[in-house]
Amino acid sequence: MREINLDRLRTLVTIADLGSFAEAARHLHLAPPTISMHVTELEEHIGAALLSRQRGQIKPTVIGESLITRARRLLADAEQALHEVQRQVQGLAGRVRLGASTGAIAHLLPQALQVLGQDHPDIDVQVEVLTSQTSLRRLNEGTLDVGLVALPQTPMARLNIKPWRRDPVRAFLPGHWPMPAQVTPVWLAAQPLILNDNSTRLSQVTGAWFAAAGQRPLPRIELNYNDAIKSLVAAGYGATLLPHESGAPQVDPRIRMLPLEPALWRQLGIAHRSDNIERATAHVLDVLWRFSLD
């Protein structure tokens, strides 16, 4: 069955509102024969008369009134849909899908999202906790718009990956432990450890830091949730190595945070597709770049 054309419905509604074919033609900037054709096509499609003449004025029939009631809703929905899409095209609204690690979500994103909410309140950022590799895969598949990923990464076709932040990695130690003069790989490898598992870039970075000093420690437990790791450190279960982002809240008073010797850094990058960037996504990227740190 042929679909009903919205233009035909708009013509019918306008005739009912103005009570005249001629007035409807002037209002819609259409020729009178075109107005008559629209009504004829609708009546043939429905199989019943939609309009009747009463005392020289055009009135809807019962069936016509029923169709007009529904037509008003359809036309209003169509106008609303176009309005919303136009706002997205203009970058005034839209949805942006962003993937990041728990650490970035907990301490970096809230500040950026607060600024975005002030500048672009109708942009909805949907955040997922994802590893860097999953973020890159999802970006490549087109099911993610922005990824905060650990660096370095192998270049990928169609993806733009640029350095964003360089945050120091610190040792987080139970506060009741005797504090060393320096937290070195040799000293830390001899302590009970809580580390990220080997699926993460942070595990690779810290593993290389230990290996450079000839150490390959075996952690007591491996986790990917940094706040849970810190809770275990506070409870005295072991020490850990984690990035400390500027602006992050103060650590638990039961934890001592110390620099490493030699120093170690965690680098994050921003990844996104290199073509067809929607304006809402561009606004999110602009805000994130305000929080870049060398």
Side-chain angles (χ1 to χ4, degrees):
M1 187 169 104
R2 291 184 298 114
E3 296 179 356
I4 295 178
N5 187 289
L6 288 179
D7 288 336
R8 275 56 173 170
L9 291 178
R10 185 174 290 105
T11 296
L12 180 65
V13 169
T14 304
I15 293 171
D17 288 342
L18 299 178
S20 165
F21 277 61
E23 290 298 324
R26 280 192 286 272
H27 182 80
L28 296 173
H29 305 289
L30 296 173
T34 302
I35 294 291
S36 298
M37 181 187 67
H38 284 183
V39 174
T40 299
E41 288 179 355
L42 278 175
E43 290 181 330
E44 289 176 352
H45 188 86
I46 298 297
L50 300 174
L51 298 170
S52 65
R53 289 186 178 273
Q54 295 182 7
R55 299 177 183 177
Q57 192 174 34
I58 304 298
K59 295 286 187 181
T61 64
V62 173
I63 292 174
E65 191 63 55
S66 178
L67 179 59
I68 287 167
T69 298
R70 289 164 175 77
R72 292 188 194 279
R73 292 199 293 265
L74 285 172
L75 291 169
D77 288 345
E79 289 296 327
Q80 181 64 26
L82 287 174
H83 175 70
E84 292 176 359
V85 169
Q86 286 169 349
R87 283 177 57 80
Q88 292 182 36
V89 171
Q90 295 165 3
L92 300 175
R95 182 189 65 171
V96 178
R97 301 159 298 180
L98 186 148
S101 67
T102 54
I105 290 171
H107 304 309
L108 298 175
L109 272 185
Q111 301 173 66
L113 293 178
Q114 182 179 16
V115 172
L116 182 72
Q118 295 167 350
D119 294 350
H120 304 284
D122 292 328
I123 293 179
D124 175 28
V125 180
Q126 298 184 345
V127 181
E128 293 186 63
V129 179
L130 300 174
T131 64
S132 296
Q133 291 307 307
T134 302
S135 288
L136 293 172
R137 175 177 57 78
R138 293 270 304 275
L139 284 166
N140 202 43
E141 293 171 349
T143 59
L144 198 70
D145 302 305
V146 179
L148 303 182
V149 300
L151 298 180
Q153 295 288 344
T154 303
M156 298 180 66
R158 298 187 300 167
L159 294 188
N160 190 322
I161 307 173
K162 291 184 178 180
W164 180 46
R165 293 183 61 92
R166 184 171 178 262
D167 295 296
V169 176
R170 299 286 192 239
F172 291 74
L173 312 177
H176 64 273
W177 282 13
M179 293 297 120
Q182 289 184 324
V183 180
T184 64
V186 173
W187 181 86
L188 197 56
Q191 314 306 316
L193 293 175
I194 310 160
L195 299 178
N196 277 244
D197 73 36
N198 58 15
S199 68
T200 65
R201 178 68 67 178
L202 182 61
S203 174
Q204 299 172 27
V205 170
T206 55
W209 183 76
F210 281 115
Q215 305 297 311
R216 287 178 173 78
L218 182 65
R220 296 184 74 180
I221 187 172
E222 293 180 333
L223 297 172
N224 282 342
Y225 186 43
N226 290 355
D227 284 344
I229 292 175
K230 291 177 183 178
S231 295
L232 289 172
V233 174
Y237 188 71
T240 193
L241 293 171
L242 291 174
H244 182 66
E245 300 89 356
S246 61
Q250 294 294 318
V251 298
D252 189 303
R254 295 171 294 170
I255 297 174
R256 289 288 302 277
M257 184 177 66
L258 299 177
L260 302 179
E261 180 56 45
L264 183 61
W265 300 86
R266 190 278 309 273
Q267 291 187 302
L268 288 178
I270 295 178
H272 58 86
R273 291 186 298 280
S274 54
D275 56 356
N276 298 323
I277 300 176
E278 294 184 358
R279 293 187 68 175
T281 300
H283 288 318
V284 171
L285 291 171
D286 288 342
V287 171
L288 288 172
W289 284 117
R290 297 187 206 178
F291 293 85
S292 64
L293 187 67
D294 294 332

